[in-house]
Amino acid sequence: MSTAIAKNLMADMKLLGMFAAFEQGVADATRDQTSYSEFLDTLLQAEADYRQERKTGSRIKAAKFTLRPAFEDIDFTASRSISKAQIKELYGMQWLTDGRPVLLIGQTGVGKTFLAQATGLHACACGKSVMYMTVTTWLENVALARSSGTYLRYRDKLAKPDVLILDDMGMRKMSSIEAQDLCEILEERSIAKSTIFTTQLPLDHWSEVIADPVIADAIRDRLQHSALTINITGESYRGVKARKLASKKKTRKNRRLRLRR
């Protein structure tokens, strides 16, 4: 079979990973005098890698992240309390295997959203489904679902992902009905699913933003005994970035001044 015929067949069968690797694979096999079985292994691995990348890309797209951070991008030089051991615990994903919720608690700018979305992206790469949204967006969607009579369908949708990320819990107060909605979602996701919250409020203060104290207690009870809780303290990451940017600008300016002399 000629190279052209082989490539046409791969394209027709949508073996696009093999198609992309074929010519280089032939060249490498000819140069290294590899066996037919080794050459076939190379093509099959290329196809498997391609399909895995496509699936991961689809999961990331479905998650609707606003950032694309990675654990490798975390700046440990910034003065924040989060440790490499805590990052390792998130990365290991035993919390997801155990179906534990995650609470990322800290003031504005310390990297809660960054860390939550980095965790979500890593989960996507590990073959898990993820959904990200702010709590404000979730509340708007719940209100819309109730008004259109599709609330149960929307609740079922939120129950399905392996990881649900609710960002900025406590940015606005919840009515009794909204709090009950959150309680129901946590109940739906209590088995083999994980929910990640980012918030400025420690769990003991959630009653300040949940109107119904009974429901607030029920939500707190569902979280405080099982959640992986990471408290992040320290200076705002935005301030760190601003100083680094200012330092780079100053360095470039000094370099230009030296060149002019």
Side-chain angles (χ1 to χ4, degrees):
M1 182 184 296
S2 69
T3 297
I5 292 175
K7 291 182 69 176
N8 286 338
L9 286 173
M10 290 177 193
D12 289 342
M13 291 186 289
K14 299 189 184 303
L15 298 173
L16 302 182
M18 285 188 179
F19 181 88
F22 184 73
E23 288 189 359
Q24 186 61 50
V26 170
D28 292 344
T30 302
R31 182 193 66 225
D32 301 332
Q33 295 185 334
T34 56
S35 65
Y36 288 114
S37 62
E38 290 174 324
F39 177 54
L40 180 59
D41 286 346
T42 298
L43 292 182
L44 289 173
Q45 188 61 57
E47 182 64 28
D49 292 344
Y50 171 79
R51 295 192 180 197
Q52 184 61 43
E53 289 175 6
R54 286 287 301 272
K55 289 178 181 178
T56 298
S58 296
R59 287 190 290 268
I60 291 173
K61 184 177 181 181
K64 300 186 183 301
F65 296 116
T66 58
L67 305 170
R68 295 291 177 90
F71 284 111
E72 294 80 6
D73 298 327
I74 295 174
D75 183 2
F76 287 102
T77 65
S79 299
R80 292 194 301 276
S81 64
I82 191 163
S83 67
K84 290 183 179 180
Q86 289 172 315
I87 297 300
K88 185 177 180 179
E89 187 170 16
L90 284 174
Y91 187 87
M93 297 184 67
Q94 186 61 44
W95 50 272
L96 179 53
T97 302
D98 297 338
R100 297 175 64 191
V102 176
L103 298 176
L104 302 175
I105 304 171
Q107 295 303 306
T108 299
V110 295
K112 302 185 301 295
T113 298
F114 180 100
L115 191 56
Q117 295 197 50
T119 303
L121 279 164
H122 178 57
C124 287
C126 292
K128 304 299 183 180
S129 57
V130 180
M131 182 183 295
Y132 166 87
M133 69 184 70
T134 65
V135 169
T136 298
T137 297
W138 166 68
L139 290 172
E140 291 171 351
N141 289 345
V142 166
L144 182 61
R146 284 194 178 282
S147 65
S148 61
T150 59
Y151 170 71
L152 292 180
R153 190 186 309 166
Y154 183 63
R155 190 182 68 184
D156 290 343
K157 179 181 178 180
L158 294 182
K160 289 179 180 178
D162 297 308
V163 180
L164 173 64
I165 302 174
L166 293 175
D167 200 5
D168 279 335
M169 172 65 186
M171 289 296 288
R172 54 156 285 189
K173 292 187 176 183
M174 290 186 184
S175 67
S176 295
I177 293 176
E178 291 169 337
Q180 183 61 43
D181 291 338
L182 178 59
C183 197
E184 289 175 358
I185 289 172
L186 290 175
E187 183 63 28
E188 289 282 334
R189 298 182 53 79
S190 62
I191 301 176
K193 308 286 185 180
S194 291
T195 304
I196 298 176
F197 289 94
T198 74
T199 179
Q200 295 187 46
L201 295 175
L203 196 56
D204 289 343
H205 290 264
W206 281 27
S207 57
E208 297 171 10
V209 295
I210 297 176
D212 191 314
V214 175
I215 300 176
D217 284 343
I219 291 172
R220 186 165 58 246
D221 184 67
R222 281 169 169 77
L223 297 174
Q224 66 182 357
H225 299 299
S226 60
L228 168 60
T229 302
I230 298 178
N231 292 287
I232 309 172
T233 60
E235 61 183 324
S236 168
Y237 184 65
R238 297 181 184 92
V240 175
K241 287 183 66 177
R243 285 198 301 276
K244 287 184 176 180
L245 181 60
S247 178
K248 288 180 180 179
K249 288 182 178 179
K250 184 177 180 179
T251 300
R252 288 196 295 268
K253 182 179 179 181
N254 291 338
R255 188 179 297 127
R256 287 195 298 268
L257 289 172
R258 285 197 299 269
L259 290 173
R260 290 174 185 174
R261 293 173 183 172

